Amino acid sequence: MTAYGTFDPSTKDKTRPSFADWMSQTNEITRTFLAAGKVPGLINLAGGLPAPQIYPADEIAQIARQVIKDNPIDTLGYGSIEGLADLRDALAKRFSTSGVRLTADNVLVTTSGMQGLDLLGKVLLDQGDLVAGQFPTYLGALDAWRPRGPQFRNMDIHGAAFDPDAALSGAKFAYTVPNFSNPTGKLVGEAIRQKLVDGAHRTGVWLVEDDPYGGLCFEGTPPPRMLELSARMGNSEVYDGPVIYMGTVSKELAPGLRVGWIIAAPEMIGALTLAKQGSDISTSGITQRIVLGALNAGLIERLQPQLCNLYRARRDALCAAMAEHLSEWFEWEVPEGGMFVWAKARAQTMDTDALLQPAMAGGVCIAPSSVFDATGVHCGAMRMNFTLNDPDTLTEGVRRLATVLKTIDRKGP
């Protein structure tokens, strides 16, 4: 049983037309760890899932009841492709600062952040076009664009020799997750953000700033958004620069609402709206009204301290367990926020692809690094999630993984 049910991309009934070629380019590792939550007793350290107990069910239920009663046409009928006008206005106001002025013309509401990634591929990518991606990168983005048949260039934005103009040159767009990156948990500093923005302005390449984790900050304050850094360089009253900013309520409110947004130059919003027309016509009116009600009520701001306290404690528990049980095999940095720890193997011979199945047999699922590499060859690290499980479960998952590693070491090559 895979994440796609009983579907196997390699199976082709000779009496029917074959499936599209890109479907054979997906990998078993992704499908395996996405399906891990269905395996009884398996501790899932692989996914990027919020803690279910934090969902504000009562508050959302109250908002839903009121918005359906007060706005039956908006909530139960078809809506505009661009999104609910009041929500677009609210998002424009929320992300405007003294350095960046936004209007509803800068905002498209999407059906989750994943739809935003898919729409970007639709409007920007033809077969063989180049995408420059922060390395390692979010596997969902790679999956969203793979059907378009692009080429990928890995960008080591933290490297001492990073040259943004060379990295962006020839690309249709560059993709980044600067706040507590998926998968590494790294926070990109302001100097690197400025280099990326400068490079985008010089080359004309679109620069995607995907920001699902910015609100999950445990220490300090993240640097200014690249959207704001870009706006400071422009002369237009309304933002029309190269940065495409993406957000979602999935990590700070509830993923089941499936509401996200894209903030960009009006010309980009117009193109994305045209692509969305052939995707879902419009995002759910009920969930848009719920999100608007939650924003107006300050629900995210009220939840944020509780959420960050919970996740900080879980991060600390995971890192403490790793220090006790895994330091012989891996090294890592403690992230300042987000949902992930990126563990790099000490030995060059470590293959985390090969570790996945023994780990699952031992009762724990990890995310090997190859799925976060567009080329699929980087096998010397793994992503560990700390938000889903409580501290005791995290500790037990790490202990199980250490047991597997010791068994492998005893068997030898």
Side-chain angles (χ1 to χ4, degrees):
M1 183 75 171
T2 71
Y4 298 117
T6 57
F7 173 71
D8 180 352
S10 66
T11 301
K12 296 185 178 180
D13 188 326
K14 301 303 182 183
T15 66
R16 298 173 181 163
S18 62
F19 295 115
D21 288 343
W22 74 267
M23 300 195 78
S24 65
Q25 298 170 17
T26 59
N27 60 75
E28 288 296 329
I29 291 174
T30 305
R31 292 197 294 276
T32 297
F33 80 67
L34 288 178
K38 305 295 184 181
V39 181
L42 185 70
I43 296 177
N44 186 0
L45 302 181
L49 305 176
Q53 66 266 36
I54 210 73
Y55 300 154
D58 291 341
E59 293 92 335
I60 288 178
Q62 292 173 12
I63 293 171
R65 187 179 300 110
Q66 194 65 46
V67 298
I68 294 172
K69 179 181 177 181
D70 293 346
N71 305 277
I73 296 177
D74 282 348
T75 54
L76 302 179
Y78 286 109
S80 65
I81 301 169
E82 296 93 333
L84 185 70
D86 290 347
L87 179 56
R88 293 169 67 211
D89 285 336
L91 290 168
K93 181 178 179 181
R94 185 178 184 84
F95 291 100
S96 290
T97 68
S98 58
V100 54
R101 182 175 181 272
L102 304 169
T103 72
D105 290 338
N106 294 113
V107 181
L108 174 70
V109 179
T110 60
T111 304
S112 78
M114 276 302 302
Q115 187 189 46
L117 295 170
D118 180 63
L119 294 178
L120 284 172
K122 284 184 175 181
V123 304
L124 289 175
L125 294 178
D126 291 313
Q127 183 80 23
D129 281 342
L130 179 64
V131 177
Q134 178 181 344
F135 176 77
T137 201
Y138 173 44
L139 68 95
L142 298 176
D143 287 344
W145 301 323
R146 192 169 281 117
R148 317 303 299 179
Q151 301 177 59
F152 292 97
R153 174 190 293 155
N154 290 333
M155 298 192 302
D156 180 11
I157 64 175
H158 297 283
F162 175 60
D163 179 346
D165 289 23
L168 272 58
S169 177
K172 279 295 192 74
F173 63 88
Y175 176 72
T176 69
V177 186
N179 285 329
F180 317 117
S181 170
N182 183 352
T184 66
K186 269 187 173 292
L187 179 66
V188 177
E190 185 171 353
I192 298 176
R193 295 181 190 219
Q194 188 67 62
K195 288 175 70 172
L196 285 162
V197 170
D198 290 345
H201 277 262
R202 284 192 297 264
T203 62
V205 172
W206 296 102
L207 175 60
V208 180
E209 180 178 16
D210 196 1
D211 189 22
Y213 312 108
L216 305 181
C217 183
F218 311 151
E219 283 98 25
T221 303
R225 298 183 183 95
M226 291 193 291
L227 179 71
E228 181 170 353
L229 297 177
S230 173
R232 294 174 185 173
M233 300 172 65
N235 298 315
S236 175
E237 187 174 352
V238 175
Y239 182 72
D240 66 352
V243 173
I244 302 170
Y245 180 84
M246 302 178 61
T248 175
V249 298
S250 291
K251 304 304 186 291
E252 296 179 84
L253 200 57
L257 292 170
R258 310 313 292 147
V259 171
W261 51 83
I262 296 178
I263 297 173
E267 66 170 313
M268 174 55 72
I269 296 299
L272 293 166
T273 300
L274 184 61
K276 184 174 167 66
Q277 176 179 314
S279 178
D280 66 355
I281 300 180
S282 64
T283 298
S284 164
I286 293 176
T287 56
Q288 286 189 78
R289 274 286 172 188
I290 291 172
V291 169
L292 177 61
L295 293 178
N296 289 340
L299 183 55
I300 289 177
E301 286 73 19
R302 293 205 307 272
L303 285 173
Q304 194 172 35
Q306 179 187 358
L307 194 63
C308 287
N309 287 339
L310 177 69
Y311 288 170
R312 183 188 299 109
R314 292 186 173 190
R315 175 206 62 183
D316 292 347
L318 176 64
C319 290
M322 291 173 68
E324 181 177 356
H325 298 289
L326 296 182
S327 58
E328 178 181 347
W329 299 278
F330 293 94
E331 58 184 358
W332 59 90
E333 295 179 3
V334 178
E336 298 175 56
M339 304 176 76
F340 308 109
V341 173
W342 185 246
K344 295 185 290 186
R346 295 184 184 278
Q348 293 184 354
T349 54
M350 173 71 75
D351 182 347
T352 52
D353 280 3
L355 178 61
L356 177 59
Q357 289 301 332
M360 291 190 66
V364 60
C365 186
I366 51 117
S369 54
S370 65
V371 296
F372 307 103
D373 175 10
T375 67
V377 300
H378 181 54
C379 299
M382 61 182 177
R383 187 188 74 178
M384 307 278 276
N385 169 260
F386 54 80
T387 56
L388 176 63
N389 296 293
D390 62 56
D392 288 344
T393 304
L394 291 169
T395 300
E396 174 60 17
V398 171
R399 188 198 64 77
R400 292 180 184 181
L401 182 59
T403 299
V404 171
L405 286 161
K406 290 174 184 176
T407 300
I408 293 173
D409 279 355
R410 285 197 296 268
K411 290 181 178 178

